[in-house]
Amino acid sequence: MDKRQFKAESKKLMDMMINSIYTHKDIFLRELISNASDALDKRYYNAMANGEGGAGRDEYKIELTIDKENRTLTISDNGCGMTEDELENNLGTIAKSGSLDFKSDLQKDSDVEIIGQFGVGFYSAFMVSDKVSVLSKAQGSNKAYLWESEGVDGYTVTEAEKDTAGTVITLKIKDNTENENYDQYLDQYALKDIVGKYSDYIRYSIMLDMTTTALKEGTEDEYESVTENTQLNSMVPLWRKSKSEIKQEEYDEFYQSKFYDFQAPLKTIHSKTEGQISYDALLYIPARAPFDFYSKDYEKGLQLYCNGVLIMDKCPELLPDYFSFVKGLVDSADLSLNISRETLQHDHILKIIAKNIEKKIKNELAKLLKDDREAYEKFYGTFGVQLKYGIYSDYGAHKETLQDLVMFYSSSEKKLVTLQEYADRMKEEQKTIYYACGETTDKIDMLPQSDAVKSKGYEILYLTDDVDEFALQMLMQYKEKTFTNICAGNLDLDDESEKEAMQKENEETKDLRDFLKESIGDAVSEVRFTTKLQKHPVCLTSEGMLSLEMEKVLSAMPGANAAKATLVLEINKNHPIADKLKALYESDKDTAAKYAKILYAQGCLIAGKAVESPTELCDMICDLM
Ligand code: ADP
């Protein structure tokens, strides 16, 4: 019989399983039971969808069998089963879940982390077994096949006999070693405990023949051993239980095993809604971003159950994009079982549930922000960008929902603050919310433009994410307060007499300013004198909607159009350089022109904009030196 080879990744994974030092080896049972439950779901769903009906749910079950003599543990189900191809593809190749990033992760992380992180499914059987056999017959097929493997060497698939559809997995349990007790997996009480711990909520009965000693009937002191087929799980799905019955550890355990996370969730939201539409929702906010969250492979969505029957694993309609990080499920008896991907989008009930869920998540986040700032900041550090994209997306349609959930770094508080907190602290005469953009808060802190705003005692929000300014522009106002970029032209800081003086100064120096502008070229639309810079000589200012930061973000996008910010070079009227320029304009125009170019280059450097010709700049500076 020819032995087939595992794919490279599977081989690595299996090797890891066999030699694993993972301390929670008993999760193998959870993984196999969960696969069996999925197979039963599929079969049940197919039967319902094809109108076969009839078969009651209680006919579908998972059975455990212990054979101590032969050291085998068997897990059988009468689910959908697998064809020969499916055995080959599903068990010969590593599970799709997370396989992409797997290869690289295998090298850098310890196996313990990987097992916890991905939930390694079927392969975990090799943590406790010398040999694994899978006998399966697919629903609707008349042939059965046997898949067998003793580990990394490979596996065989042969035709076999099996009466009914379903899968029987037989594990040849390893012998005890000095450090590991494998015998427990052949012990009925130990198995009962493991099922109780990890698989209690499985909605099909998990049966085991349990032998106990009981008083012989009609006697008072004679005992006999009685074997009873016993159900190990309570079958009540966690989300159906009342909240007061559930401990946080149970919520966490459920989350970790179902959504493959090795960390407990940051927040659990369990809501039961009764009324015109009734449903249970169990939602989780992960403590960290899923490994593929920022890749295009990430699919948002909640599991969708209809009266306890899984209809869809990831129903995207239930979550708006800006809450795509939420994991969990929704179970409603009011949905039609025949709902399909195509009809979902138009399903009225689903839409209402989705709206309610959005509201629920928003309120819970607002509550977290109010009650546990530290946890919220942790959440925001991980998923905040998502919320800001949410404000910007769909032409600002969601800004009401999201504006009180976003935070920005504050110049005065030196930490993240909400817009509400900023608004509450605004000075009486302050007309607008000031912000500044840059790569890091430290860099923004050194912008020359910030001095004038700070000297008035005004707070500045520091925007460091690409999306930030787009989000604020989409908001336009917060509680009737506009937003102003400190790098924009008019900061509204001066009183009327100061303004007039400046205007006069700029009128009187028009010839000089035009000359400077011509010397610099098209890069700026104007050169202007200003009093807003306190100790610094120059700054670049943008006019209009498009700021320099936005220009940078847009031009970095694929297929970027050449949207350019309109820039003005502002020169500090009170700086000695202003007088020097005036003098040179009269005496030495060539040098004045060089000065103009150098000052513009300085403005670029301060603003974090690339200097067009660094060589020319350096030559000019050397000439003057
Ligand atoms: P995952 O469950 O994450 O997909 P597994 O390695 O646990 O990964 O299983 C791989 C695949 O094998 C499953 O997706 C399923 O298609 C198939 N499978 C496993 N166990 C069974 C079973 N008892 N009945 C039918 N199919 C199964």
Side-chain angles (χ1 to χ4, degrees), residues 31-32 34-40 42 75-77 79-82 86-87 89-91 93-97 118-124 134 136 166-169 260:
E31 299 290 316
L32 297 184
S34 139
N35 281 350
S37 169
D38 291 347
L40 292 166
K42 268 184 219 159
I75 298 108
S76 348
D77 65 72
C80 62
M82 282 176 274
E86 282 168 342
L87 278 171
N89 293 330
N90 296 343
L91 307 184
T93 339
I94 183 176
K96 318 134 284 279
S97 30
F118 292 107
V120 287
F122 172 75
Y123 285 82
S124 59
V134 182
S136 197
T167 303
V168 180
I169 298 181
Y260 305 120

Side-chain angles (χ1 to χ4, degrees), residues 35 65 89 119 150 208 220 223 245 298 304 378 393 432 564 568 596 613 615 625:
N35 281 350
T65 318
N89 293 330
E150 289 181 23
L208 173 68
E220 267 167 35
Y223 289 87
E245 274 176 46
Y298 183 78
L304 182 62
K378 190 166 174 285
S393 68
T432 178
K564 288 266 180 252
V568 175
S613 171
T615 324
M625 284 159 96

Side-chain angles (χ1 to χ4, degrees), residues 354-479:
K355 258 272 95 34
N356 287 345
I357 283 182
E358 176 187 338
K359 219 180 290 162
K360 182 81 194 167
I361 297 171
K362 181 207 150 170
N363 291 343
E364 289 293 328
L365 285 174
K367 214 159 89 193
L368 189 68
L369 172 60
K370 192 164 138 266
D371 300 342
D372 187 350
R373 180 81 169 207
E374 202 181 317
Y376 190 83
E377 282 183 18
K378 190 166 174 285
F379 153 77
Y380 194 76
T382 315
F383 299 115
V385 173
Q386 205 67 15
L387 303 182
K388 293 184 282 195
Y389 271 110
I391 290 181
Y392 177 65
S393 68
D394 296 334
Y395 303 99
H398 320 289
K399 54 189 189 186
E400 288 292 319
T401 312
L402 298 172
Q403 62 181 2
D404 284 314
L405 295 178
V406 294
M407 299 200 288
F408 299 98
Y409 184 89
S410 149
S411 61
S412 56
E413 301 300 301
K414 308 281 178 218
K415 64 179 175 82
L416 291 171
V417 301
T418 64
L419 294 174
Q420 181 67 60
E421 287 160 353
Y422 184 108
D424 289 346
R425 274 194 293 269
M426 277 171 82
K427 301 239 153 143
E428 216 169 300
E429 78 285 358
Q430 187 183 346
K431 299 182 192 107
T432 178
I433 297 174
Y434 291 101
Y435 69 86
C437 308
E439 247 170 274
T440 62
T441 51
D442 284 347
K443 281 193 187 170
I444 301 175
D445 213 32
M446 291 186 298
L447 281 175
Q449 288 96 327
S450 67
D451 291 350
V453 183
K454 284 185 200 159
S455 72
K456 293 260 177 189
Y458 300 160
E459 187 174 356
I460 306 171
L461 298 176
Y462 290 177
L463 276 45
T464 49
D465 276 326
D466 283 357
V467 65
D468 289 354
E469 195 175 11
F470 292 89
L472 287 193
Q473 288 212 351
M474 193 54 87
L475 273 181
M476 288 191 295
Q477 295 194 339
Y478 178 79
K479 308 256 159 107

